[in-house]
Amino acid sequence: MAERLKILLWGTADFGKPRSRILRQGLQEEGVLVGECVIDVWDRVDDKSQVKGLWARLRLILKWVCAYPILVWKYLRAPRHDMVFVAYLGHFDVLVLWPFAKMRGATIVWDAFLSLYDTIVCDRRLVPTGSLRAWCIKQFERLVCAAADVIVLDTVAHADYFKTQYSIPNNKFVSAFVGAEVDIFQAQNISKRNQIAGKCRVLFYGQFIPLHGIEFIIEAARLTKDPSIEWVIIGRGQETDKIQTIMKNDNISSVTFMDWVEYEQLPEVIAKADICLGVFGKSDKAARVIPNKVFQIIAVGRPLITLECPAISELISSNTPGVWLVPAGSGEAIARAVEDAKNWLWEGDQELLYEGVRAGISPKVIAQTLIQSLTETYEGRC
């Protein structure tokens, strides 16, 4: 039997994001981590695109500048390891680490999680396509991909994008689902309390970004004439002003907005909903990823309506009980799916959903899958 990998966690990991916490927890539970050299420069930054103002940006840059000398010093003193794992958001981390990892003969494993170019330029459109800034972001990301020895992404569809965009060989990628913190998001039977009151609560929560397609949710609420259906939208972010303008113009009384809910309260909010919504954006990125909320909804066990795309087919299908998949950018399709899901709920006797799916999205199982892939990759490189 091959010796267990020795992995060191290193960098400016954002542990405010479930992705980073889940991978760390899983690797810890599997006993492969030999140490951590981490400074969380992203503490209390929920949405990186919303870091605005000169002083806020300067403070963040100063954190980075101060962090790297400390991290390098700690790395050079760290115990022996086979791989050094750089968690999200680690683009700069990989480049800083590269010469020191080579010096110690360690393989750099980078959890890319997302493409900066795809997110900033193509999806959120914060930088114009074809501009010098867009070109620089793309070339910077290409360089990071070249420096990393192994690149981890959440879906095969997402990895395929990186392969095509940056001409990276297939054997450089491994995939690991985002998963859910199942100790927080615990499975619950479907409640009938809302049906008894004659109500059906439809829930969306998340940062207001283009990928989510919130305008199509509002369109669905406008098209829905059933007075028993109540829509709850929780969040804020890049498109807050746009969504508020749409709501003022449409004046839909069935939609309730909430600014934010603390992470620890999300499981209860999900459990009180009858139907939960994923993402519906029309961008290419929306079709390549499975967002946190989908895993969290599955973990709690609520009926789910989300985008039909290559990424989601890696986890579930339209034949999965409690799942309705719809085309991108269609409020009409969302409205029909909500009606179908409501009828399915009210006419049936459903209990616990996603038994088989849920078993594969815990931090431990995700880490086991990742470690197996990393072991095969590491042995192939030796």
Side-chain angles (χ1 to χ4, degrees):
M1 182 176 177
E3 184 181 349
R4 299 271 289 175
L5 284 177
K6 294 181 176 65
I7 300 176
L8 179 76
L9 184 61
W10 187 91
T12 59
D14 182 2
F15 288 114
K17 290 290 182 287
R19 169 66 166 188
S20 297
R21 294 197 302 269
I22 287 168
L23 286 179
R24 177 170 68 174
Q25 179 184 339
L27 293 173
Q28 286 174 339
E29 290 177 358
E30 286 301 292
V32 296
L33 285 185
V34 297
E36 294 186 17
C37 302
V38 174
I39 297 177
D40 186 357
V41 302
W42 297 104
D43 185 37
R44 299 179 185 178
V45 179
D46 294 325
D47 185 348
K48 297 169 182 61
S49 70
Q50 298 304 296
V51 178
K52 296 179 179 178
L54 178 61
W55 289 113
R57 290 173 178 171
L58 284 176
R59 280 196 299 270
L60 187 57
I61 292 171
L62 183 61
K63 279 186 178 180
W64 253 331
V65 171
C66 294
Y68 283 127
I70 299 171
L71 287 169
V72 170
W73 180 78
K74 287 185 175 181
Y75 178 72
L76 294 175
R77 294 168 57 89
R80 191 187 72 79
H81 51 280
D82 305 307
M83 292 183 161
V84 52
F85 191 95
V86 177
Y88 167 85
L89 176 69
H91 286 68
F92 284 106
D93 293 2
V94 171
L95 295 182
V96 172
L97 174 65
W98 182 80
F100 303 102
K102 295 304 173 189
M103 184 189 307
R104 296 201 59 177
T107 299
I108 298 177
V109 180
W110 172 41
D111 179 35
F113 186 53
L114 57 76
S115 161
L116 281 186
Y117 177 81
D118 190 27
T119 300
I120 296 172
V121 180
C122 304
D123 184 55
R124 297 202 183 189
R125 299 180 183 178
L126 298 173
V127 174
T129 305
S131 67
L132 177 60
R133 281 192 297 164
W135 182 86
C136 289
I137 292 169
K138 188 172 185 179
Q139 299 314 310
F140 167 67
E141 191 158 69
R142 186 190 302 276
L143 180 62
V144 178
C145 289
D149 297 303
V150 181
I151 301 172
V152 182
L153 285 158
D154 56 328
T155 67
V156 174
H158 210 173
D160 286 342
Y161 166 80
F162 272 77
K163 293 172 195 174
T164 303
Q165 186 79 334
Y166 297 119
S167 301
I168 302 172
N170 186 64
N171 62 4
K172 199 168 185 174
F173 292 93
V174 299
S175 60
F177 282 139
V178 171
E181 294 169 296
V182 294
D183 53 337
I184 299 174
F185 295 87
Q186 297 181 359
Q188 300 185 34
N189 289 332
I190 292 175
S191 171
K192 297 292 184 181
R193 57 180 173 268
N194 290 336
Q195 289 94 311
I196 293 171
K199 298 295 182 181
C200 179
R201 179 177 295 178
V202 181
L203 171 69
F204 171 86
Y205 65 92
Q207 295 172 340
F208 284 19
I209 57 177
L211 181 144
H212 290 160
I214 302 171
E215 66 268 34
F216 305 116
I217 297 173
I218 295 172
E219 179 187 359
R222 178 173 53 79
L223 293 171
T224 302
K225 305 304 180 184
D226 186 341
S228 71
I229 296 177
E230 300 176 337
W231 303 73
V232 178
I233 299 179
I234 301 173
R236 59 174 179 257
Q238 178 186 345
E239 294 198 318
T240 296
D241 292 341
K242 171 185 172 180
I243 299 304
Q244 288 177 344
T245 299
I246 293 174
M247 283 301 300
K248 286 178 182 177
N249 293 337
D250 287 359
N251 191 28
I252 306 170
S253 60
S254 61
V255 178
T256 300
F257 273 92
M258 296 175 62
D259 184 55
W260 201 244
V261 168
E262 293 302 322
Y263 187 75
E264 294 75 14
Q265 297 174 317
L266 271 179
E268 181 181 359
V269 172
I270 295 170
K272 288 182 178 178
D274 296 293
I275 302 165
C276 293
L277 304 178
V279 298
F280 308 97
K282 296 192 289 185
S283 69
D284 291 340
K285 181 182 176 182
R288 290 192 286 263
V289 301
I290 307 174
N292 290 314
K293 64 175 60 62
V294 168
F295 290 99
Q296 292 161 356
I297 291 163
I298 287 173
V300 176
R302 285 298 169 269
L304 168 69
I305 301 171
T306 194
L307 175 65
E308 184 174 23
C309 61
I312 199 68
S313 65
E314 297 178 31
L315 179 68
I316 52 178
S317 73
S318 56
N319 294 323
T320 304
V323 171
W324 284 262
L325 302 181
V326 301
S330 173
E332 184 178 352
I334 298 170
R336 284 198 306 269
V338 166
E339 290 282 359
D340 290 344
K342 176 202 159 184
N343 293 334
W344 179 82
L345 274 170
W346 285 23
E347 293 172 4
D349 187 26
Q350 293 78 25
E351 293 185 355
L352 208 57
L353 296 177
Y354 316 119
E355 287 277 24
V357 179
R358 191 184 303 107
I361 65 173
S362 70
K364 185 175 181 63
V365 173
I366 286 172
Q368 288 172 346
T369 304
L370 177 60
I371 291 166
Q372 181 178 350
S373 297
L374 291 178
T375 300
E376 293 170 357
T377 301
Y378 181 75
E379 291 174 349
R381 294 173 62 88
C382 292

